[in-house]
Structures are given as C-alpha cells and as structure tokens.
Amino acid sequence: MSDKDYLKDISEIKNLMNKSSRFISLSGLSGILAGVYALIGAALTYYLVTEYSYGTLMLDGWIFRRVLFILFMVAFSSVVTGVFLTTRKAKQNGEKIWDTSSKRLLLNFLLPLVAGGIYTLIILYHGKYGQTGGLMLIFYGLALVNASKYSIGDIKYLGYTEIVLGLIAALFPGYGFYLWVIGFGVMHIIYGTIMHFKYDTK
C-alpha cells in the first residue's frame, strides 16, 4: 500500500471514531425556529411591559407571571421543535436518537443549564431583575460549550457568543433585554441558517 492509501485509511478510521463519539444529527432548522420563537416571545414581553406596567416588573404582579409564562413557552416550543427535527434527521442519517453520545450530550448540556436556571430564579426572587438577561445568556453559553464536546463542534462558537453577550449584559444591565433578544433570537437564526446549509442540505 502507498502512503496515500495509509493516510486515507487513517482518515476514515478517524471519521468513524468521531461519529461514534459525537451526536451529529442536530438540526439547523430547529435553531432557526428557536430564534423565531425567542423574537416572538420578546415582542410579546416588550408589549406587556411597556403597555401595562410602565416599564417595570413586580415579582407578585400578573405582568411578571405572564412574562414567566412566555419564557416557559419559548423554551418549551424550542425543545419540542428541536427534539422533533433532530429525531427526524437522525432517522434519515440512520443514527440512533438515544445512544451513548446523545446521553452524554444531554447530560453535559443540562448540568450548567439547570444550575443556571435555578440561580436565575433565586436572583428573581430577590428582585434583581436587571441581572437575569445576562445570567441566562452566560449559563446557556456555558451549556453549549460544555455540550459541544459530544456534538457538532460548531455549537461552541454560538456558546462563546452567548457568554460574551451575557457578560456585556452584566456590565450594562439596562440593555439586558436587548442583548437577550440578540443572543436567543438573532444569533440562533444566524447559527441555525449556517448549520442548515452546512450540514442539513448535504
């Protein structure tokens, strides 16, 4: 065998090992839709806050409860859409949706995300509303970076972007809402579009 044949065999073995240890069927379209859901949720929240609460949120007020419900629906819709589209893509690629790589992906994604969610609720309980946007961005970014080891490596770049936006939001809490819109809305759409044309259309 020539050196080229050896290099080709090594490259194929490397690709097989990479596929076996990473869950690569994440859907770019789900990222786009998650961004759209976030923009819709942000628009509804902005309308409620500006029209009915004079730009402020009270922890025990009905506006606050509706804002939390909107956030929950954005997250729920994103998860359901992501699971559906990812499952469909995995079947098309002949991959198992629930194997060792997907379990590792989910565990590494949820650990920082759940911890961040609980911490954000504690901050909300103490009435520090201005910090929540930055905290959500930072912990979500950490979750993406942590999960990228077991999935498409490109998601770490979205994670880095979310972390940077979160730190800026922490520095300028008055702009937390707008940075949240950029991070969860605009950046998801940009990332999802890139991933769709890079992976989904092949």
Side-chain angles (χ1 to χ4, degrees):
M1 295 178 68
S2 65
D3 292 340
K4 289 184 178 180
D5 292 331
Y6 280 118
L7 291 174
K8 183 179 179 181
D9 290 341
I10 292 173
S11 179
E12 289 178 353
I13 292 171
K14 183 179 178 181
N15 288 333
L16 288 171
M17 291 178 65
N18 187 50
K19 288 181 178 180
S20 66
S21 62
R22 290 174 179 261
F23 185 75
I24 59 175
S25 289
L26 295 178
S27 170
L29 184 58
S30 65
I32 297 173
L33 292 175
V36 172
Y37 299 151
L39 292 179
I40 294 173
L44 291 173
T45 298
Y46 184 82
Y47 174 76
L48 285 173
V49 172
T50 55
E51 290 294 321
Y52 295 102
S53 66
Y54 305 101
T56 62
L57 285 173
M58 297 299 294
L59 187 61
D60 57 350
W62 69 274
I63 295 293
F64 181 82
R65 291 194 294 271
R66 278 159 178 76
V67 169
L68 285 182
F69 176 74
I70 290 171
L71 285 174
F72 171 79
M73 289 305 300
V74 168
F76 178 77
S77 301
S78 299
V79 170
V80 171
T81 301
V83 170
F84 172 76
L85 292 176
T86 298
T87 301
R88 187 178 69 175
K89 185 179 177 182
K91 289 180 179 178
Q92 292 173 348
N93 293 341
E95 280 192 330
K96 292 181 179 179
I97 189 65
W98 193 244
D99 57 9
T100 302
S101 59
S102 61
K103 290 177 183 177
R104 289 175 178 172
L105 168 65
L106 188 63
L107 177 63
N108 281 270
F109 179 73
L110 287 179
L111 279 176
L113 194 68
V114 171
I118 294 172
Y119 184 68
T120 301
L121 289 175
I122 294 172
I123 291 296
L124 283 172
Y125 176 77
H126 290 290
K128 299 177 181 178
Y129 307 116
Q131 298 181 17
T132 55
L135 287 172
M136 291 171 69
L137 288 165
I138 290 171
F139 279 103
Y140 178 62
L142 291 172
L144 290 174
V145 173
N146 203 40
S148 66
K149 297 175 291 185
Y150 303 101
S151 183
I152 299 171
D154 295 327
I155 68 172
K156 66 177 177 287
Y157 300 114
L158 176 62
Y160 295 148
T161 303
E162 303 288 355
I163 292 170
V164 171
L165 289 172
L167 292 173
I168 296 173
L171 185 62
F172 303 102
Y175 296 94
F177 173 78
Y178 303 102
L179 291 165
W180 187 96
V181 171
I182 293 172
F184 286 98
V186 177
M187 294 311 303
H188 263 133
I189 293 174
I190 293 174
Y191 163 80
T193 302
I194 294 172
M195 292 301 99
H196 176 71
F197 286 106
K198 187 174 181 179
Y199 297 105
D200 296 355
T201 57
K202 288 186 177 179

